[in-house]
Amino acid sequence: MIKIHHLKQSRSTRIIWLAEELGLDYDVISYDRDENTRLAPVSLREVHPLGKAPIVEVNGSTLVESAAILEYILDHFAPEKLRPAKTEKAYSQYLQWLHFAEGSAMLPVLLNMFLAAVDSKDAPVFGYARKEAELDFAYINETLADSDYFCGDLFTAADIMMGSVLAFAQPQGLLDNYPAILAYLTRLHQRPAFIKAASFG
């Protein structure tokens, strides 16, 4: 049994989505955000010192970091699913997008979210945030213009990682000028596994 500690409206939805795509047995322990700060509750630190979701208990280990958790679960429960074989050319693309999600794409999304509450828009960080968003999302849009998924016609765990970031970006208006990304999100959000994962909040 995989135990998923899920903070509502967070990256941990990815892990539920993965488990649903693979048809794995799992248990979800849900946590609500603080109504005032919107932060995770202190009780998550009783599970892992960082207190950040996702946190997964599996095979006697407690794991954090979305991409690491996805790779671990695939390695141990479904080594031939949701990623190209390491001998295939598409594997390098899979690895890139799996890590691009948090390594690059999430930065402008978080910057935009936190800077929204800042009154003065003259600080250099606003120009930096805008430049990074335009650079990343134009690159993503170009990639998806001729492909259903980030590895061509193959849906992979990289789509779970990237799809989650893009879903955070969409309500902020960051994707309004990128039709290929919007069409991609529509495809993802029709997947039964995504719908089930999203139902956890």
Side-chain angles (χ1 to χ4, degrees):
M1 176 68 71
I2 300 169
K3 185 181 291 186
I4 303 169
H5 294 270
H6 169 57
L7 176 64
K8 293 179 182 178
Q9 299 175 333
S10 81
R11 296 167 169 92
S12 52
T13 301
R14 291 169 170 160
I15 314 305
I16 304 172
W17 185 2
L18 176 74
E20 282 292 323
E21 292 282 358
L22 297 174
L24 300 178
D25 290 331
Y26 65 93
D27 187 26
V28 174
I29 300 91
S30 288
Y31 300 79
D32 292 314
R33 292 181 176 275
D34 184 279
E35 291 185 4
N36 296 317
T37 67
R38 304 302 299 156
L39 297 176
V42 176
S43 56
L44 262 178
R45 291 185 182 174
E46 298 172 6
V47 184
H48 188 277
L50 290 177
K52 299 178 182 179
I55 304 172
V56 170
E57 294 180 75
V58 57
N59 292 343
S61 297
T62 302
L63 305 176
V64 296
E65 292 298 329
S66 299
I69 293 169
L70 264 63
E71 287 284 85
Y72 183 92
I73 289 175
L74 289 174
D75 284 345
H76 287 80
F77 297 94
E80 297 182 358
K81 294 183 178 180
L82 292 188
R83 58 186 174 183
K86 292 183 178 180
T87 55
E88 294 180 14
K89 183 178 180 180
Y91 186 73
S92 61
Q93 290 297 105
Y94 163 77
L95 278 182
Q96 172 189 297
W97 291 111
L98 185 76
H99 296 284
F100 188 92
E102 292 296 328
S104 293
M106 198 58 161
L107 174 61
V109 176
L110 291 176
L111 281 174
N112 189 72
M113 182 173 66
F114 292 132
L115 291 174
V118 177
D119 292 330
S120 174
K121 308 298 182 186
D122 297 328
V125 68
F126 284 93
Y128 173 78
R130 184 167 48 254
K131 177 183 70 70
E132 285 297 304
E134 291 171 353
L135 181 67
D136 287 352
F137 295 132
Y139 176 52
I140 294 167
N141 194 73
E142 182 180 357
T143 299
L144 293 171
D146 299 315
S147 301
D148 283 346
Y149 303 107
F150 282 99
C151 289
D153 295 331
L154 180 65
F155 174 85
T156 70
D159 293 291
I160 294 175
M161 288 291 295
M162 286 297 300
S164 299
V165 174
L166 297 172
F168 282 125
Q170 187 175 12
Q172 299 181 37
L174 292 172
L175 307 181
D176 291 350
N177 297 321
Y178 303 103
I181 298 178
L182 294 174
Y184 168 77
L185 282 177
T186 297
R187 287 192 294 277
L188 290 190
H189 293 174
Q190 292 171 346
R191 297 181 70 87
F194 173 84
I195 294 170
K196 179 62 180 294
S199 72
F200 284 88

